[in-house]
């Protein structure tokens, strides 16, 4: 008997324990103990304590199981006979569940122990193991079962050759065929972009039904949206030769499954909130909640406006970044004299995020100031010294220096403290009114209050701008970014029952803890209002519906009919959805999971997905087989190889090699720098010129591609943010190409002959987008990603892999994306730099992101240099 003491005391027979696992919560670890009708969690544990407790429980349960086997050794001959009926016929693949199902049919305690899901032969006493019949080696010696299964797969590939030669309208690859045949208790198929994962799922269902391993009504196929579910349902039905409406396998979405479980259990459908099924419903509700709170909650209003105006991004120390250039790229929106500068709402450019906070606060309160005004000071010997204090307030003739000085009096910059003392002395000597703020105050979160106190001493008036004026001055993407952050935080807070205290404690561990604590308090107020809105309407949202369905399964009120669960796009799974799958699996003995996805294409973190459920599949679901689909039917080999190398620079991504059915096309990734006399380049105009050029070119070689009956080739224009859409007025028409435009996210799953990617440049709204990789997500995610811009890298991979023939990257000629340099390092000379008209540009051999231009030096000397000067100082003699 296992006794669990947490909020209460639970006595659970060892034979009822079906799973023991360790999970990472926000601030601690917990041990989860499952039976077929309940789930208990032992929380608030350190990692080592949790692992040790789980290990001890696992050993205790197994010791009891071994005692049961020894107590009924006389029944083992019957177990042996049952096992031989399936192992000697070699009729099917044998997972642990298949062996356990056969053993469980034998009455008695020994068979119940041997078929138990936690039975671990590695822990069995050697004497007991030696007394077991020979057929039980399939249980006690992993090599015996693996050898049998390898031989079975080899033979089955031959037996089912014609079956797989014409399945779902195609001939499956060897990897697809093996994935259809192998069926361990838990299976993860790691697919490449365009590798035919849907065809594999269709093949899997068709194969197990042909083998009569599962009945149709025992098979559950899960997709992430309605259109994907309908497509899968139609393809499976066609393969089986039935109408979609007559298909007995259940093909559905997670949301529809949750709704059905509740409806079948409670004999009425759940009452969903009216906004949940509208595409923009959640965003609209969050906007309305914020609007209402601004009118009734002064503390929330202060927090919200401070986040938007004073903290548009986290103030992260330079030492966190790999290089000085990486830090400057994170900070800046433009360069001035070779230095990174940061924009402010007052229209001036400053040198640090702390100075940005000060300027934005001054703008918010309508305080007049000058930034870095030159002041001439005469010292005792009559010499003139020119100083440039950070801020000068004309109303009181006050100088304000913001100093990069830490709490211990040190500075990250050489000679900074000595230079500061010299300036202080000059100010004292001149008798000027001066006050200082410091980085230490910013770290403590007191910077703004100290500034306000100093201005109050000088009676400088403060006139706070109205919210309407603030919103009009903000870039819309800043507000949208915070709305997206709030949406994902609400999901995690409600699903994990997080508290404000937990969020504030976690905020203290982030780099910009002052900003994080403000956000934690703001998002907590919003979450409470969101929950109240649901309660007052007596409604639930999708996440609540999935959670309720999970509880109905875990408590046994809903009896699962499913013995095989297939899940598509598994890289996008959220914790609530994963918990529903676990509940179904553990409630019905011997249930198997077959998950398919591509962690390289996990791009929906803001919708609640958690990539570690995929990349740590075995830790989440138990011992598993992992297969690969490495043959792509979409990109040519050059694009496929280059994109694969690019995304795998993040070591946390699962490794695979990608092979294309299309031969490599040299220089099929092309970089086109787009220049502008001032401001941002006109990517819309550049895109239209490129489309016209491409249309003319393809018309000239039409005999090469019209032989398959196509009248036009497909071109997709893709962008990171919708404000870059060049087709807002009207989509252009062409003779040889059919053009469509989409965001990177919406392009996932689609393909074209050519793609044009807009604004592959550095910047907050470029690629990678600096505002998306926000450390605030770590407030609610127990396993945050540590690789810089991890999801942005995957999103760019998705955009790269939509094209079969060629990709054009349009970049700001002044600030090309770091990803262009990476692609150049991977592809070498096969990455072509060219003008919008197709003329070759010589790539800079030093920075690999710029191109060679002719420049003029002293005495009108002509020489060759990099377009990225002064950030790249490559030069060569003019020819």
């Amino acid at each position: 008997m296992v006794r669990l003491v947490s909020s209460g005391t639970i006595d659970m027979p060892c034979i009822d324990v079906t799973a023991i696992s360790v999970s990472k919560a926000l601030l601690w670890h917990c041990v989860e103990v499952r039976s077929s009708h309940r789930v208990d969690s032992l929380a608030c544990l350190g990692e080592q304590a949790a692992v040790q407790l789980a290990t001890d429980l696992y050993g205790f349960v197994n010791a009891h199981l071994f005692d049961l086997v020894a107590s009924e050794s006389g029944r083992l001959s019957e177990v042996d006979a049952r096992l031989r009926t399936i192992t000697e016929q070699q009729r099917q693949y044998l997972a642990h569940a298949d062996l356990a199902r056969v053993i469980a049919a034998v009455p008695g305690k020994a068979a119940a122990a041997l078929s138990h899901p936690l039975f671990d032969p590695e822990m069995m006493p050697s004497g007991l193991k030696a007394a077991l019949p020979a057929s039980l080696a399939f249980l006690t010696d992993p090599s015996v079962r693996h050898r049998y299964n390898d031989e079975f797969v080899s033979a089955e590939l031959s037996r089912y050759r014609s079956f797989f030669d014409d399945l779902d309208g195609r001939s499956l690859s060897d990897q697809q065929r093996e994935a259809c045949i192998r069926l361990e208790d838990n299976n993860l198929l790691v697919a490449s972009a365009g590798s035919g994962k849907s065809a594999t799922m269709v093949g899997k269902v068709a194969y197990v039904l042909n083998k009569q391993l599962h009945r149709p009504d025992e098979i559950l196929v899960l997709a992430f949206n309605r259109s994907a579910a309908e497509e899968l349902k139609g393809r499976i039905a066609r393969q089986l030769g039935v109408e979609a409406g007559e298909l007995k396998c259940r093909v559905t979405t997670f949301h529809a499954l949750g709704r059905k479980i509740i409806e079948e259990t409670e004999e009425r459908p759940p009452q969903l909130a009216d906004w949940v099924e509208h595409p923009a419903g959640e965003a609209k509700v969050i906007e309305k909640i914020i609007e209402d709170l601004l009118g009734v909650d002064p503390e929330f209003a202060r927090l919200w406006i401070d986040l938007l105006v004073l903290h548009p991004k986290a103030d992260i120390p330079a030492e966190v970044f790999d290089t000085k250039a990486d830090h400057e790229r994170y900070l800046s929106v433009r360069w001035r004299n070779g230095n990174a500068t940061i924009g402010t709402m007052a229209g001036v450019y400053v040198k640090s995020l702390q100075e940005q906070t000060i300027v934005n606060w001054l703008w918010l309160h309508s305080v007049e100031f000058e930034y870095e005004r030159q002041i001439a000071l005469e010292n005792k010997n009559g010499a003139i010294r020119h100083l440039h204090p950070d801020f000068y307030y004309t109303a009181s003739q006050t100088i304000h220096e913001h100093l990069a000085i830490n709490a211990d009096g040190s500075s990250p910059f050489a000679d900074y403290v000595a230079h500061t003392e010299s300036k202080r002395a000059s100010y004292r000597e001149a008798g000027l009114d001066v006050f200082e703020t410091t980085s230490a105050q910013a770290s403590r979160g007191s910077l703004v209050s100290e500034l306000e106190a100093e201005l109050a001493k000088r009676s400088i008036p403060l006139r706070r701008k109205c919210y309407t004026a603030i919103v009009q001055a903000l870039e819309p993407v800043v507000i949208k970014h915070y709305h997206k952050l709030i949406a994902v935080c609400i999901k995690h807070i409600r699903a994990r029952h997080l508290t404000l205290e937990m969020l504030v404690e976690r905020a203290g561990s982030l780099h910009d803890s002052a900003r994080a604590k403000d956000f934690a308090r703001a998002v907590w107020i919003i979450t409470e209002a969101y929950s109240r809105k649901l309660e007052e309407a007596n409604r639930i949202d999708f996440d609540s519906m999935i959670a309720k369905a999970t509880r109905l399964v875990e408590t046994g009120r809903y009896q699962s009919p499913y013995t095989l669960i297939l899940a598509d796009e598994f890289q996008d799974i959220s914790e609530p959805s994963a918990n529903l799958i676990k509940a179904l699996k553990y409630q019905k003995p011997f249930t198997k999971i077959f998950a398919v996805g591509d962690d390289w294409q996990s791009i929906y973190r803001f919708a609640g997905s958690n990539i570690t459920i995929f990349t740590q599949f075995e830790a989440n679901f138990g011992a598993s087989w992992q297969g690969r689909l490495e043959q792509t039917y979409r990109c040519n080999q050059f694009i496929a190889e280059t994109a694969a190398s690019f995304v795998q620079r993040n070591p946390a991504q699962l490794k695979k090699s990608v092979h294309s059915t299309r031969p490599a096309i040299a220089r099929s990734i092309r970089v086109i720098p787009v220049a502008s006399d001032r401001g941002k380049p006109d990517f819309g105009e550049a895109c239209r010129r490129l489309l016209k050029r491409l249309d003319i070119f393809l018309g000239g070689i039409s005999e090469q591609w019209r032989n398959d009956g196509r009248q036009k080739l497909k071109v997709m224009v893709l962008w990171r943010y919708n404000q870059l859409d060049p087709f807002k007025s009207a989509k252009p028409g062409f003779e040889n190409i059919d053009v469509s435009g989409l965001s990177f996210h919406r392009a996932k799953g689609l393909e074209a002959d050519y793609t044009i990617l807009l604004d592959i440049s550095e910047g907050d709204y470029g690629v990678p987008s600096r505002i998306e990789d926000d450390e605030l997500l770590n407030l609610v995610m127990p396993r945050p990603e540590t690789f810089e811009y991890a999801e942005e890298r995957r999103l760019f991979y998705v955009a790269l892999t939509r094209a079969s023939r060629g990709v054009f990257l349009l970049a700001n000629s002044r600030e090309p994306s770091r990803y262009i340099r990476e692609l150049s390092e991977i592809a070498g000379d096969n990455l072509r730099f060219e003008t919008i008209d197709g003329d070759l540009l010589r790539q800079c051999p030093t920075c690999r992101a710029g191109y060679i231009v002719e420049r003029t030096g002293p005495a009108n000397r002509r020489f060759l240099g990099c377009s990225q000067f002064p950030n790249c100082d490559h030069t060569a003699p003019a020819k």
Side-chain angles (χ1 to χ4, degrees), residues 758-816:
L758 304 184
D759 201 5
I760 309 305
S761 319
E762 288 296 320
D764 282 353
Y765 314 121
V767 177
S769 169
R770 296 185 196 139
I771 65 170
E772 298 296 336
D773 204 38
D774 200 312
E775 69 167 2
L776 290 176
L777 283 171
N778 298 344
L779 280 175
V780 295
M781 290 189 167
R783 292 188 181 91
E785 294 187 83
T786 56
F787 194 78
E788 188 178 37
Y789 301 112
E791 183 143 323
E792 287 292 300
R793 179 173 294 269
R794 294 191 293 269
L795 184 58
F796 187 59
Y797 168 81
V798 167
L800 275 179
T801 53
R802 298 308 94 193
S804 62
R805 292 169 174 258
V807 183
F808 297 91
L809 310 178
L810 272 58
N812 185 332
S813 62
R814 294 179 178 177
E815 294 186 272

Side-chain angles (χ1 to χ4, degrees), residues 12 62 67 146 265 284 287 339 343 420 460 471 495 534 537 541 554 660 683 712 783 788 844 853 856:
M12 187 182 299
N62 267 280
D67 288 343
H146 293 325
T265 306
K284 293 289 186 185
E287 285 180 35
N339 295 314
T420 297
I460 294 177
V471 171
L534 287 171
D541 61 6
E554 289 175 341
S660 178
F683 288 106
K712 291 187 177 184
R783 292 188 181 91
E788 188 178 37
C844 174
V853 296
T856 302

Side-chain angles (χ1 to χ4, degrees), residues 819-835:
Y819 289 167
I820 289 175
R821 183 188 72 248
E822 289 193 39
L823 292 176
S824 178
E825 291 168 354
I826 294 165
D829 293 339
N830 258 326
L831 186 75
R832 176 182 167 94
F833 279 63
E834 65 184 29
T835 68

Side-chain angles (χ1 to χ4, degrees), residues 69-89:
V69 174
S71 70
E72 284 193 349
S73 57
R75 305 296 297 266
L76 295 181
S77 59
E78 193 174 348
V79 172
D80 177 54
R82 292 291 184 94
L83 274 179
R84 290 184 185 279
T85 61
I86 62 166
T87 60
E88 292 178 355
Q89 292 176 2

Side-chain angles (χ1 to χ4, degrees), residues 588-608:
K588 191 173 185 65
F590 320 123
T591 296
K592 298 183 178 184
I593 295 173
F594 183 74
V596 184
D598 181 6
D599 65 299
W600 296 0
Q601 297 187 78
S602 177
I603 58 172
Y604 290 112
R605 181 174 57 180
F606 278 104

Side-chain angles (χ1 to χ4, degrees), residues 226 274-285 487 491 542 607 746:
R226 193 177 303 167
D274 55 9
W275 69 79
V276 298
E277 295 193 83
H278 190 279
E282 182 182 62
K284 293 289 186 185
V285 166
K491 294 177 188 295
F542 277 144
R746 289 185 60 198

